[in-house]
Structures are given as C-alpha cells and as structure tokens.
C-alpha cells in the first residue's frame, strides 16, 4: 500500500521573525494529529530553513535517533557531550540521544541553510549518547541506524534514471528535490510516500531528483 503526502499538507512551524521556517510531515510540537504520529520508526521529518545567524539554542533530546541531511548551506552542531562539527550538503549527521543529551544547531554561514531532519524511535530506550558525521555519502552506501532497526538510502537520479526501492515492511520516501514517478504516481519536492509491504517497486526520475529512502523492519 502506498500513501502519498504532499508538501503543501505539512504543518508550518518555526519562528519566521527569528529567521527559522519549518515544515513538519508528522504531528509535532503544538500541532497534534493523533492520526499522524509516526510511520514505521519515523516519528518526525522536518524541513528546516535557517537564515544566516539563525538557529536553535541549546535544547534537550532523549530516546531518539536524529538523522540530518543538509540540502544547502552549512549546519553548525554543538552538543553537551563535547561534539562540534560543520555539516555540509551531502553529509549525513546522526545524533543518538539515548538517555539524554543537549545540543545547539545554527547557521553560522553567510548564506541560507536548508536541511531535512528525521527522528526515529529506538528499539529500546536508554543507553549512552553518540554522534557521527559521514561526509559526502555515496548513493551506493546505505547508512544503517541499528538502534532504530532502519537503513537510510540516498538516491540522486538523472532524468529517466530508475532506482529500485527496498523490499521491506515499511519504506518512507522523501523527495528532497526534483520529480519522480512511483507506481503510477508523481512525487515533487517535499512530497513523501509511505509504503507498507513494499515489493518490486521502483522510482523513475522525470526531472533531476534527490530522494531519501528509509527502509524499516518494524513499527513499534
């Protein structure tokens, strides 16, 4: 089964006066939708736009796997475990909040910052927080998040290029940019597909496209 959610259906949040614009694909913060709490392990998929100098001051997380994909610009990360890094387009950042951690996210660069941040529920609570950045991840290199029993696949497609979707109980597809045809339907920038019991499916780019695909084994 494929359920398509359009970009214009996402909840608008953030603080525009402070240079922060957010689009939320799931129930988030003051926007509570009991019918849209999660899909598989994914509990949030937020597109964040930060003006130069804008950012999220230090705030806490716990029992969450936070994976960030930078689309444009540079993201400055600092956390209470002593990690500090600069994350650029094409990098995958993961913060495993585990029993608890605090962090800061800012746009300290000269231009706008756009990133997609996805939160996943871990299979078990607690543990020791951890952090890593994979710089310039390749299309052929899936990124595993074993704590959430999930795998992230990045696909960059030229016009007419095809990619197979994972065969899995739950697959979440987020179109970062471009356009693809999926099982007779179309996905454009910001659109998402939630696929249950995916098998023998493929996406075909009708414009140069970038996709984030989550392969998940269970819904907890």
């Amino acid at each position: 089964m494929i359920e398509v959610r359009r970009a214009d259906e996402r909840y608008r949040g953030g603080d525009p006066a402070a240079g922060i614009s957010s689009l939320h694909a799931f129930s988030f913060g003051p926007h509570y939708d009991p019918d849209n709490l999660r899909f598989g392990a994914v509990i949030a998929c937020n597109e964040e736009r930060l003006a130069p100098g804008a950012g999220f001051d230090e705030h806490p997380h716990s029992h969450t796997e936070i994976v960030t994909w930078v689309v444009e610009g540079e993201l400055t990360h600092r956390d209470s475990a002593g990690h500090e890094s600069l994350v650029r387009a094409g990098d995958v950042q993961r913060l495993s909040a585990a029993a608890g951690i605090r962090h800061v996210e800012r746009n300290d660069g000269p231009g706008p910052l756009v990133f997609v941040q996805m939160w996943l529920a871990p299979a078990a609570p607690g543990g020791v927080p951890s952090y890593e950045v994979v710089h310039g991840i390749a299309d052929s290199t899936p990124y595993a998040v074993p704590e959430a029993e999930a795998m992230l696949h990045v696909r960059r497609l030229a016009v007419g290029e095809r990619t197979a979707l994972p065969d899995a109980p739950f697959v979440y597809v987020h179109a970062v940019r471009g356009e693809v045809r999926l099982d007779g339907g179309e996905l454009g920038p910001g659109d998402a597909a939630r696929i249950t019991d995916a098998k023998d499916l493929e996406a075909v780019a009708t414009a140069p496209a970038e996709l984030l695909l989550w392969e998940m084994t269970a819904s907890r």
Side-chain angles (χ1 to χ4, degrees), residues 53-156:
F56 299 101
D57 294 333
E58 187 175 81
H59 56 282
H61 288 282
S62 62
H63 313 304
T64 311
E65 300 297 314
I66 303 171
V67 178
T68 304
W69 177 258
V70 174
V71 180
E72 176 185 354
E74 300 177 342
L75 171 65
T76 297
H77 166 94
R78 294 189 298 275
D79 64 45
S80 55
H83 305 110
E84 184 169 350
S85 61
L86 194 62
V87 189
R88 299 182 173 90
D91 297 344
V92 171
Q93 174 188 255
R94 181 186 62 86
L95 176 64
S96 180
I101 196 168
R102 302 180 67 86
H103 74 152
V104 175
E105 298 165 297
R106 297 197 57 81
N107 179 8
D108 292 329
L113 167 64
V114 181
F115 61 93
V116 179
Q117 189 169 91
M118 298 151 288
W119 298 7
L120 288 81
V128 178
S130 62
Y131 177 81
E132 72 173 342
V133 178
V134 178
H135 296 288
I137 193 166
D139 284 16
S140 58
T141 307
Y143 181 76
V145 184
E147 294 84 354
E149 300 175 354
M151 189 92 70
L152 175 65
H153 304 265
V154 178
R155 293 290 184 266
R156 305 173 183 92

Side-chain angles (χ1 to χ4, degrees), residues 18-21 49-55 107-109 111-113:
I20 302 172
S21 176
R49 296 176 180 269
L50 274 59
N107 179 8
D108 292 329
L113 167 64

